[in-house]
Amino acid sequence: MHTQPQAQARASQPARGGEALPGTGSAPGAAGGPAAPSAPAVPPPIEIHDMTVAYHHKPVLWDIDLVLPEGKLIGIVGPNGAGKSTLFKAILGLVPLASGWVRVYGERYQPRRGLIGYVPQRETVDWDFPVDVLDVVLMGSYGRLGWFRRPGRREREQAYEALRQVGIEGLARRQISQLSGGQQQRVFLARALCQQARIYLMDEPFASVDAATERAIIAILHELRRRGCTVVVIHHDLQTVAETFDWLVLLNMRVIAAGPTSEVMTDENLARTYGGRLNLLSRVAELVARQPAHGG
Ligand SMILES: Nc1ncnc2c1ncn2[C@@H]1O[C@H](COP(=O)(O)OP(=O)(O)OP(=O)(O)O)[C@@H](O)[C@H]1O
Ligand SMILES: [Mg+2]
């Protein structure tokens, strides 16, 4: 049996086998006063403690402490090379940690892997791999089936439903090498939907998509949140951050700030995240605007 993604299942039972962790408040008699006798706290979807990640001994993420809340649409924002994709890879156990730990609903990632749907950054995928769209989307169901059961009719129906949701059901039998960038993006979204996960990690799903696709993706994000999923999205467009996300993490090798978007989106935090470059850019824009419109 596998996990139920529904909010109902979550509300009525704490994460199975979740060990008591520091800071989750789930341990009876934890420091800070008497524990409530009922309603044990469910560990957060993602908790990261004191985590450092290095490539070839050069740290790219430093001392990350982060607790992501459940059921929110969460944006991860920071400049190129800030370590955003690496943060996802660390959560997924795809890169080794130099120190610290990551917990998914209070446990290590491996036993929880079926709970996370991952949409990778598009440029990092080998699109020449000879599979068609339906095959890629069906991969989403492998976690539920285990490796030795092949997807059957039910899974195929779910895959088609996911393709309909992202508006590309007509492309099911197309080789993935023959898709446009926006269509490729939708294939990975459909695969993640098929997975029926509780947590979604999406690495720049809005990169190089048109306005219609962007609206379709936003509708899917809202639908996932409505189902009680926790959706974490790496995002580059600062203009749309406030209207898109409930919660925000500003990242640049370290967590600069994390919390409700309205509290985190301050000029000071953004300047710290982008190393003052934002200020500089807006100063330049101001000066340019004041220049009389002639050369020399
Ligand atoms: N496999 C790797 N080996 C060595 N260094 C790497 C590797 N992957 C990423 N890096 C380096 O780690 C740093 C963080 O990279 P990461 O891809 O996490 O950044 P990012 O915030 O996702 O950037 P972008 O916005 O450009 O996608 C960068 O300096 C990058 O060059
Ligand atoms: Mg990246």
Side-chain angles (χ1 to χ4, degrees):
M1 248 312 272
H2 255 277
T3 44
Q4 291 292 320
Q6 282 79 12
Q8 188 192 2
R10 223 183 15 263
S12 59
Q13 81 185 58
R16 275 179 296 126
E19 58 198 286
L21 289 165
T24 62
S26 56
S38 59
V42 178
I46 290 172
E47 181 171 15
I48 299 174
H49 179 68
D50 207 10
M51 181 185 80
T52 293
V53 179
Y55 292 113
H56 314 297
H57 305 291
K58 185 170 170 278
V60 297
L61 287 173
W62 262 108
D63 287 345
I64 304 291
D65 278 301
L66 196 57
V67 178
L68 299 184
E70 172 139 67
K72 299 263 185 263
L73 201 42
I74 301 168
I76 309 275
V77 169
N80 292 134
K84 303 178 299 295
S85 297
T86 302
L87 181 74
F88 277 5
K89 288 175 189 163
I91 292 169
L92 295 163
L94 298 174
V95 292
L97 310 187
S99 72
W101 49 254
V102 176
R103 294 286 186 270
V104 178
Y105 284 112
E107 270 204 46
R108 288 173 192 284
Y109 168 69
Q110 274 304 327
R112 296 281 195 219
R113 54 186 295 167
L115 296 183
I116 300 190
Y118 174 44
V119 178
Q121 198 165 357
R122 196 158 51 82
E123 300 89 77
T124 61
V125 174
D126 177 10
W127 291 100
D128 289 328
F129 199 73
V131 289
D132 69 18
V133 166
L134 187 67
D135 287 334
V136 172
V137 177
L138 277 170
M139 284 173 200
S141 56
Y142 287 1
R144 272 177 292 140
L145 294 174
W147 284 103
F148 301 107
R149 259 188 62 205
R150 290 179 60 76
R153 196 167 140 193
R154 203 175 114 91
E155 285 74 30
R156 293 168 77 84
E157 275 167 13
Q158 283 169 346
Y160 272 106
E161 177 52 34
L163 283 171
R164 251 190 303 280
Q165 264 180 282
V166 301
I168 53 167
E169 68 270 34
L171 299 176
R173 283 302 176 195
R174 180 85 65 87
Q175 289 291 306
I176 58 165
S177 57
Q178 297 164 7
L179 298 174
S180 75
Q183 290 165 342
Q184 291 173 341
Q185 205 71 282
R186 291 177 185 219
V187 172
F188 269 109
L189 270 174
R191 183 182 71 162
L193 289 175
C194 217
Q195 196 176 332
Q196 300 179 0
R198 278 166 60 176
I199 303 167
Y200 286 91
L201 304 182
M202 302 188 182
D203 199 340
E204 300 197 35
F206 298 107
S208 69
V209 299
D210 61 20
T213 308
E214 187 171 320
R215 279 195 300 276
I217 294 174
I218 287 177
I220 288 167
L221 300 184
H222 288 170
E223 167 61 17
L224 291 172
R225 178 178 55 186
R226 197 191 59 73
R227 287 191 216 164
C229 297
T230 303
V231 186
V232 194
V233 179
I234 294 175
H235 193 64
H236 266 297
D237 183 2
L238 287 175
Q239 310 266 1
T240 55
V241 160
E243 69 199 45
T244 311
F245 300 106
D246 314 317
W247 224 82
L248 203 60
V249 178
L250 297 181
L251 188 77
N252 194 348
M253 280 186 76
R254 297 170 184 271
V255 174
I256 307 295
T261 304
S262 55
E263 290 171 20
V264 165
M265 271 293 265
T266 64
D267 283 349
E268 193 196 338
N269 280 341
L270 288 172
R272 283 171 65 213
T273 308
Y274 288 86
R277 270 184 286 158
L278 269 190
N279 276 355
L280 189 65
L281 287 175
S282 55
R283 280 279 297 147
V284 170
E286 218 174 275
L287 288 172
V288 169
R290 275 200 228 136
Q291 290 281 323
H294 60 77

